[in-house]
Amino acid sequence: MIASTVPAGKGPRKGSHRQTQVDPLASLRAPDDPPWDVYLTGTVFLDIIFTGLDSAPVRGTESWARGMGSSPGGVANMATALARLGLRTSLAAAFGDDHYGDYCWDALEHGEGIDLSPSRTVPGWHSPVTVSMAYEGERTMVSHGHEPPPEEPAPDCPPRARAAVASLSPGVSAPWIAQAAGKGTRVFGDVGWDDTGAWDLAGLPDLRHCEAFLPNAEEAMRYTGADSPRAAAHALTEYVPVAVVTLGADGAYAVDRRTGETAEVPAIAVEALDPTGAGDVFVAGFVAGTLADWPLADRLAFAGLTAALSVQEFGGSLSAPGWSEIAAWWRRVQSVEGQSQAALRRYGFLAGLVPEELVRPWPLRRAVPTIGFRRSA
């Protein structure tokens, strides 16, 4: 495991994340490319985050948080993570016609440079809201919202894109996924907990259109009946070419049926403050590495790194790292006393990817969703 005894930044960093970017696909771009690198669709929430809680709220009492903030959440976590890694991202989502919807639209379009041309504002529909309370490295969330009208942005007619990220739901088939795959779009599927308890891969009809499937260890074992996450990953390749199983604090394991590659990358040791959005950031990192044609082990290491950087900050979309955070981490870990050289070599691909001008002094002054809250060193 690589040592990363690096404190996250203290205090807000002014300005947007739309800074000088690394383009991981620069050497692969051609005039006839699709206009977008990644397309996705889903529900955007307004996330309100309370930080600085010493413990979980107790029934019948009032708890005070030392900080709070807000950011777009839901599918916006994934879209933001993709955009900050330099991928041209297009999002189809419904937005409420309230102040919350206006704020989320502005933050995504102007703050992150995400294409919202497939999205629309729904008159008379208020934005879904999630309140998240972070404490002891965990989170508790309360959400409220209503289903948008059935004529929400037309996901059955996706734009041309190199890739798409699809959230698969048991027993549900989304027509846009088959259409996107039919156009040559590489589909990356993730999945949530199966509340039906069926855990039947046949109940995920759109899995056959996916190039990669990225469940966590518990989900993978339940879907396959395997007795270990690694065995589950191999079993999943009967259904999808690439299976990636996240192992929590133990890292991740992946299998590529087409090339015969397997890869296992341990987790990076970090102080985890808030896991919100970490899964989305992991998927975004894996998508970026895949589109850049990196080896499977490099893709897995990069995905794990981006997720590790995200959990050191509070919030979902606000904690997604950009290239400056990645560059600063890479420079810093090389100077950690007693650092494992073997572990450093696992991330050596970053040396030829991150330019010097993106490297800034550590600790970074990162944007965190809080007002007036500082962590001790």
Side-chain angles (χ1 to χ4, degrees):
M1 180 181 289
I2 195 166
S4 183
T5 54
V6 183
K10 296 180 180 180
R13 184 184 69 205
K14 294 183 180 181
S16 151
H17 273 258
R18 294 183 67 186
Q19 52 190 288
T20 303
Q21 283 276 16
V22 170
D23 182 358
L25 310 186
S27 64
L28 302 175
R29 297 198 184 279
D32 59 346
D33 281 346
W36 307 112
D37 296 326
V38 188
Y39 168 79
L40 65 165
T41 184
T43 302
V44 173
F45 285 72
L46 172 72
D47 282 356
I48 300 174
I49 305 101
F50 289 99
T51 64
L53 289 163
D54 295 320
S55 61
V58 178
R59 181 178 179 180
T61 67
E62 181 180 15
S63 298
W64 279 82
R66 294 193 295 277
M68 66 160 290
S70 60
S71 64
V75 72
N77 293 338
M78 178 77 73
T80 300
L82 292 162
R84 290 186 185 174
L85 293 179
L87 300 180
R88 300 170 184 174
T89 304
S90 182
L91 170 65
F95 289 78
D97 65 347
D98 48 22
H99 291 302
Y100 295 164
D102 292 343
Y103 163 75
C104 289
W105 187 294
D106 181 72
L108 294 173
E109 183 177 53
H110 298 110
E112 305 295 345
I114 295 168
D115 168 57
L116 297 180
S117 58
S119 297
R120 71 185 185 90
T121 298
V122 180
W125 181 63
H126 75 74
S127 301
V129 176
T130 291
V131 174
S132 176
M133 293 164 282
Y135 53 87
E136 300 173 353
E138 295 293 339
R139 56 173 176 176
T140 297
M141 298 187 295
V142 178
S143 297
H144 171 71
H146 300 283
E147 286 292 324
E151 66 273 12
E152 69 172 281
D156 59 337
C157 186
R160 287 180 61 236
R162 296 173 187 265
V165 179
S167 182
L168 307 182
S169 299
V172 178
S173 180
W176 75 265
I177 297 176
Q179 290 195 15
K183 296 177 181 178
T185 296
R186 304 163 75 175
V187 181
F188 295 74
D190 66 2
V191 70
W193 191 257
D194 186 356
D195 291 328
T196 70
W199 297 104
D200 181 8
L201 285 169
L204 299 176
D206 290 324
L207 185 60
R208 67 182 184 274
H209 302 300
C210 295
E211 171 174 326
F213 184 45
L214 300 95
N216 64 32
E218 184 68 19
E219 293 160 350
M221 289 189 292
R222 285 178 178 265
Y223 270 118
T224 62
D227 59 2
S228 75
R230 292 157 188 81
H234 285 274
L236 287 171
T237 60
E238 296 181 15
Y239 300 86
V240 65
V242 180
V244 181
V245 177
T246 56
L247 309 174
D250 293 326
Y253 183 80
V255 184
D256 189 328
R257 182 187 70 207
R258 297 165 302 188
T259 65
E261 289 177 279
T262 62
E264 183 166 2
V265 176
I268 296 172
V270 296
E271 178 191 1
L273 295 180
D274 183 1
T276 304
D280 295 325
V281 172
F282 182 94
V283 173
F286 191 81
V287 170
T290 301
L291 294 183
D293 287 340
W294 296 349
L296 184 62
D298 289 355
R299 289 181 260 161
L300 207 59
F302 186 70
L305 168 60
T306 54
L309 292 177
S310 77
V311 301
Q312 295 181 91
E313 299 292 348
F314 291 111
S317 61
L318 279 175
S319 68
W323 283 101
S324 285
E325 287 85 0
I326 294 166
W329 176 87
W330 174 236
R331 288 293 295 274
R332 178 64 180 86
V333 295
Q334 294 178 77
S335 65
V336 173
E337 186 176 353
Q339 184 67 269
S340 166
Q341 294 303 304
L344 280 178
R345 284 194 293 273
R346 173 61 272 152
Y347 298 89
F349 64 92
L350 292 174
L353 182 65
V354 180
E356 290 290 323
E357 61 267 21
L358 280 183
V359 177
R360 296 175 294 152
W362 194 281
L364 296 173
R365 296 184 60 80
R366 295 187 59 188
V368 294
T370 187
I371 299 171
F373 172 54
R374 300 289 186 271
R375 294 192 307 277
S376 59

